[in-house]
Amino acid sequence: MLDKVLDLLSKRWERINGAQALRLLPRDTKLKNLLPFLGPLLRKSSEANRNFSVIKSLRESENLQVKDELYKQRKNIVKITSDSMCSLCNKKIGTSVFAVYPNGKTIVHFVCFKDSQNMKAVVKGSPLRKR
């Protein structure tokens, strides 16, 4: 009976929970009889472990790249002078709250920025555009 069980384990190792199967086997089962079952099981386990390790390293690398990009973006300096003008309404920025576009040069009042974003949302969702 043990030979049939070992044969089944070696043929269907990918569908069987290895730890549970080992607990159910008799304690006097020889290790050499389990090799056809344990070999592929251990290879699959170590391959999955390597894959997870690679994925973890890629995510850490991506995280570092994002942090580096954030650092570069935060490093940019924008000087607002008394002559600084809003690119949307062409009025002076003065002491108003302002926004800077990603190019680092375009300065607008925050209210103008919000209004321009709302206008884009209305135009995109407008039923008149869908023809």
Side-chain angles (χ1 to χ4, degrees):
M1 184 75 159
L2 183 60
D3 290 337
K4 289 181 181 180
V5 169
L6 292 174
D7 187 48
L8 180 67
L9 286 176
S10 65
K11 289 180 181 175
R12 305 283 186 199
W13 63 268
E14 71 276 351
R15 295 182 182 187
I16 298 172
N17 182 334
Q20 194 174 13
L22 288 175
R23 272 188 241 119
L24 295 174
L25 288 173
R27 295 223 183 260
D28 61 343
T29 306
K30 303 281 185 203
L31 186 58
K32 69 176 183 178
N33 295 339
L34 291 173
L35 281 178
F37 167 63
L38 290 177
L41 189 65
L42 290 174
R43 276 193 294 280
K44 180 183 175 192
S45 176
S46 64
E47 180 183 343
N49 194 17
R50 273 194 311 274
N51 288 344
F52 288 131
S53 178
V54 167
I55 290 170
K56 180 182 174 189
S57 296
L58 288 172
R59 286 183 178 161
E60 287 174 357
S61 174
E62 183 182 25
N63 187 23
L64 286 174
Q65 288 175 352
V66 168
K67 282 183 179 180
D68 185 49
E69 183 64 29
L70 178 63
Y71 174 74
K72 287 177 184 175
Q73 291 297 322
R74 285 186 173 173
K75 209 166 111 175
N76 292 341
I77 297 172
V78 177
K79 283 192 176 182
I80 303 294
T81 63
S82 59
D83 297 332
S84 298
M85 302 288 278
C86 174
S87 298
L88 294 176
C89 70
N90 294 321
K91 293 181 183 175
K92 289 187 178 185
I93 298 286
T95 58
S96 301
V97 179
F98 63 93
V100 180
Y101 279 87
N103 66 9
K105 294 177 176 62
T106 307
I107 303 167
V108 295
H109 291 108
F110 189 72
V111 174
C112 295
F113 172 75
K114 292 281 279 189
D115 290 345
S116 71
Q117 295 299 310
N118 289 339
M119 291 297 281
K120 287 180 185 176
V122 169
V123 171
K124 283 184 181 177
S126 173
L128 298 175
R129 274 192 69 183
K130 296 177 184 175
R131 290 182 187 175

